[in-house]
Amino acid sequence: MQSENPKSPANPESGGSAVQLVRDHTIYACVMGSRAFGLATDGSDTDRRGVFLAPTPLFWRFEKPPTHVEGPGEEQFSWELERFCQLALRGNPNILECLHSPLVEHVDGTGRELLSLRGAFLSRQVHGTFTRYALGQRRKLDADVRATGAPRWKHAMHLLRLLISARDLLRTGELRIDVGDRREFLLAVKRGEVPWAEVEGWMVRLAAETEEAERATPLPSEPDRARVADFLHRVRRASALDAEPHHQVVQGVVRGGRVGQD
């Protein structure tokens, strides 16, 4: 699965103007990671994710606005709305989970409309994207076991969580990311208190249940691209009509040159 990595080093081209876009034009911001999953402990980080809407006039120049920005806070990462929608339409697990975080820190009118489109992004495609991501994580765990005799238990916990989420999404057509009453067992896995053989067996069962759920899922075969495209078109048009020719952020990014392009 190809996408921006929120944990990657800051893009060297992401300057102050890009960060200001996040500060001034965020339409949706939430907390993700263990806190959103219901798995936080005293030492857990607070991972923040967001979506910003770059003013439409920025797209009228050769130097386009950033597709993603790291910062300004620690553990903070944001996507420009169009890039976010592209990834969501592809069934990217990280992006879809952002739309379903129970810990929303900021949302404006455009952000609320984005949230109302959550169902438009969901389709049977999630079976493939979630499964491929899970297989990649499983290979890493198996490599750890071969190298050290044990997996990285935190990664094992999060893989179990992802498999449960994928299975239940395919069964119900709804994505819920809080682990609920599975919290204590998953935290026991994280602490290494559950034998690897038991964890591995649960992974195998969850994978089989996910395959079974895909055959009877209520999800449509494709996401509703037309509905999402209409939303993006209306938002871009409104931004163009409202743009001020001497808007500080617009002029700052245009003068600043290339920032945050992937």
Side-chain angles (χ1 to χ4, degrees):
M1 180 178 60
Q2 298 296 318
S3 69
E4 294 81 1
N5 180 4
K7 295 294 186 181
S8 65
N11 189 318
E13 294 179 326
S14 294
S17 296
V19 168
Q20 192 170 352
L21 278 174
V22 173
R23 287 179 173 148
D24 295 348
H25 295 278
T26 291
I27 64 170
Y28 172 66
C30 67
V31 172
M32 284 302 301
S34 294
R35 297 192 183 280
F37 301 144
L39 292 168
T41 59
D42 291 342
S44 295
D45 294 331
T46 300
D47 299 325
R48 290 184 165 87
R49 302 289 178 261
V51 182
F52 64 94
L53 174 63
T56 300
L58 295 182
F59 293 91
W60 300 340
R61 304 297 183 106
F62 285 123
E63 298 82 11
K64 305 302 181 185
T67 58
H68 57 279
V69 177
E70 187 164 354
E74 292 185 10
E75 304 296 335
Q76 183 178 357
F77 192 94
S78 299
W79 295 267
E80 206 282 324
L81 176 62
E82 183 173 346
R83 179 60 173 163
F84 187 86
C85 289
Q86 289 173 337
L87 293 171
L89 286 169
R90 296 175 192 172
N92 182 299
N94 292 325
I95 299 294
L96 293 178
E97 288 180 339
C98 281
L99 283 171
H100 293 78
S101 173
L103 304 177
V104 175
E105 294 192 318
H106 170 79
V107 63
D108 66 6
T110 304
R112 281 189 287 272
E113 187 169 1
L114 174 64
L115 292 180
S116 76
L117 290 171
R118 284 182 292 199
F121 294 109
L122 297 177
S123 72
R124 291 175 181 262
Q125 291 181 2
V126 300
H127 174 259
T129 55
F130 276 68
T131 298
R132 285 192 294 273
Y133 188 81
L135 285 173
Q137 297 304 304
R138 177 61 193 273
R139 292 189 190 101
K140 293 178 182 178
L141 290 174
D142 289 341
D144 290 337
V145 172
R146 289 193 298 270
T148 68
R152 299 183 190 184
W153 291 109
K154 179 179 179 180
H155 294 180
M157 175 193 71
H158 281 297
L159 177 52
L160 287 172
R161 182 205 64 77
L162 180 72
L163 288 169
I164 293 169
S165 181
R167 180 200 62 187
D168 293 349
L169 169 57
L170 289 163
R171 281 178 173 176
T172 67
E174 298 180 5
L175 180 57
R176 294 188 176 90
I177 66 174
D178 189 292
V179 300
D181 59 8
R182 302 181 181 95
R183 169 182 163 86
E184 292 308 319
F185 179 80
L186 289 171
L187 288 178
V189 171
K190 180 182 178 181
R191 294 190 296 265
E193 297 171 359
V194 182
W196 171 239
E198 182 176 343
V199 173
E200 189 176 31
W202 197 15
M203 289 177 180
V204 171
R205 288 194 299 274
L206 286 169
E209 290 170 359
T210 299
E211 292 294 325
E212 181 180 355
E214 194 274 336
R215 291 191 286 271
T217 183
L219 291 173
S221 59
E222 299 284 340
D224 193 342
R225 289 183 175 83
R227 188 178 167 199
V228 177
D230 175 71
F231 162 67
L232 185 61
H233 175 81
R234 287 187 289 101
V235 168
R236 289 275 192 248
R237 185 174 186 275
S239 174
L241 293 173
D242 292 343
E244 300 176 7
H246 302 294
H247 191 289
Q248 182 179 357
V249 173
V250 173
Q251 295 304 315
V253 174
V254 170
R255 289 195 302 268
R258 295 179 65 240
V259 287
Q261 293 292 93
D262 62 353

